[in-house]
Amino acid sequence: MIRVFQQALIIIGLILFLAALPSIVMMNHAMQAVEWKFEHVPALFGTFFSNLKDGGLGTYELAGKQRLIAEDIGDNFKTSLSIILAGVGGGVLFSLVFGIFISRFRLTKLFNAFLNILAAIPDFILIIISLILAIKFYKATGIRVVSLRPDAGSLNIWFPMLLTGIAPTLYLFKIVAVKYYQTSGEDFVRTAVAKGLAPNFINFQHVFKNIEPFINAELTKVISLAISNLFIVEYLMNVSGITKFIFQNGDMQPVAIGLFSMLLISFITYITVRVAIFLFKRGFIYE
């Protein structure tokens, strides 16, 4: 319990320091040097906690006007959470289906080879290429699959979900594929095959149960990849999500609230995926 409390304090302190960084790092143009104004830290931290104590989250600047963070953060939080949940959840589902349950089919193996090629391309490049292809598709067919307007509804949400899920899917798929082939060579799997058990039964009852711990162990890395892509996608596609508070200006209050919201989104996503895997295991796997 003490260790968890210490880790929580370290995370909170790190987030507050990162949020205050733009306000304490100054450029001295006369000396052509960077100056650290650590004397601003007590006032910045005091303002942050006083706003929380007063029951509010502070204000941020939007289009030259001061707005209350508490009034806008609800919808933005739901938007970013839905994007991350869809991206990570879709990545886990895709990796399980293509990495385990239908990986024995020849067409799936060809598709796996294509995914391995995509995995060698940086995430940012894949996002840019996807946007270019979406624009080309619209010019060729007249069908709009993406919109850069923040009020475009589903057009401004489903494509960011797809782009955010690219990195988690490719990363987790490689892990699952490697563990699948390792597990397939184990003696207990060979014994099950020799007994004439159905491939689906073997995948469910033997392979998945041995790969599940690796999926759970890599889940934090998968979520961190999705969060990093979320910053890129929301900025490029003008999505009204949590990152808006971080990118709008360098004030500590909105940046800190945005980073803490990202932490909460990561926690909710982690719990949701773990519960989904647990329910899947309880429903389809015989203990």
Side-chain angles (χ1 to χ4, degrees), residues 245-265:
F245 297 104
I246 301 173
F247 289 132
Q248 284 295 330
N249 49 62
D251 294 340
M252 176 184 172
Q253 194 72 25
V255 174
I257 296 299
L259 292 176
F260 278 117
S261 299
M262 284 293 183
L263 183 63
L264 181 58
I265 287 174

Side-chain angles (χ1 to χ4, degrees), residues 175-189:
I175 298 294
V176 172
V178 170
K179 295 301 178 182
Y180 175 79
Y181 286 112
Q182 290 178 350
T183 306
S184 299
E186 297 291 340
D187 291 337
F188 60 88
V189 175

Side-chain angles (χ1 to χ4, degrees), residues 235-250:
Y235 182 79
L236 291 179
M237 301 190 64
N238 197 27
V239 178
S240 295
I242 285 298
T243 59
K244 181 179 74 172
F245 297 104
I246 301 173
F247 289 132
Q248 284 295 330
N249 49 62

Side-chain angles (χ1 to χ4, degrees), residues 11-254:
I11 292 174
I12 292 173
L14 180 60
I15 289 178
L16 291 178
F17 175 75
L18 291 176
L21 199 60
S23 300
I24 62 178
V25 178
M26 304 293 179
M27 182 65 187
N28 190 328
H29 297 283
M31 301 294 296
Q32 293 295 310
V34 176
E35 294 183 352
W36 293 81
K37 302 291 185 179
F38 287 106
E39 61 271 16
H40 295 170
V41 172
L44 292 171
F45 282 23
T47 302
F48 176 80
F49 287 109
S50 64
N51 285 325
L52 297 182
K53 183 179 178 181
D54 294 337
L57 299 178
T59 61
Y60 75 105
E61 185 176 333
L62 179 64
K65 298 180 180 180
Q66 291 293 324
R67 295 180 58 88
L68 293 175
I69 296 177
E71 292 182 354
D72 298 341
I73 194 171
D75 293 336
N76 292 34
F77 184 88
K78 292 177 182 178
T79 299
S80 295
L81 178 61
S82 62
I83 292 175
I84 292 296
L85 279 176
V88 175
V92 173
L93 178 62
F94 181 92
S95 300
L96 290 177
V97 172
F98 283 86
I100 299 179
F101 300 116
I102 64 172
S103 60
R104 66 184 184 275
F105 299 114
R106 180 173 298 179
L107 184 61
T108 304
K109 293 180 179 179
L110 294 176
F111 186 62
N112 293 351
F114 173 72
L115 291 181
N116 289 329
I117 296 175
L118 288 182
I121 304 175
D123 302 337
F124 181 78
I125 301 299
L126 288 177
I127 293 174
I128 296 298
I129 293 176
S130 300
L131 288 173
I132 293 175
L133 291 178
I135 295 173
K136 294 290 186 181
F137 180 79
Y138 171 70
K139 290 182 177 179
T141 64
I143 301 175
R144 187 185 299 273
V145 296
V146 60
S147 175
L148 302 182
R149 293 176 51 189
D151 58 345
S154 59
L155 276 179
N156 197 236
I157 295 297
W158 82 267
F159 203 68
M161 289 179 178
L162 178 64
L163 298 183
T164 304
I166 290 178
T169 300
L170 295 177
Y171 175 79
L172 190 59
F173 172 77
K174 290 196 301 181
I175 298 294
V176 172
V178 170
K179 295 301 178 182
Y180 175 79
Y181 286 112
Q182 290 178 350
T183 306
S184 299
E186 297 291 340
D187 291 337
F188 60 88
V189 175
R190 293 181 178 180
T191 302
V193 174
K195 289 182 177 180
L197 298 178
N200 287 334
F201 181 87
I202 296 174
N203 287 334
F204 275 101
Q205 305 304 325
H206 297 287
V207 177
F208 174 78
K209 287 169 62 175
N210 286 272
I211 293 179
E212 181 199 3
F214 296 98
I215 297 175
N216 293 334
E218 296 293 334
L219 192 54
T220 53
K221 177 66 177 296
V222 170
I223 294 175
S224 66
L225 290 173
I227 291 292
S228 63
N229 275 8
L230 182 69
F231 279 87
I232 300 173
V233 170
E234 287 193 355
Y235 182 79
L236 291 179
M237 301 190 64
N238 197 27
V239 178
S240 295
I242 285 298
T243 59
K244 181 179 74 172
F245 297 104
I246 301 173
F247 289 132
Q248 284 295 330
N249 49 62
D251 294 340
M252 176 184 172
Q253 194 72 25

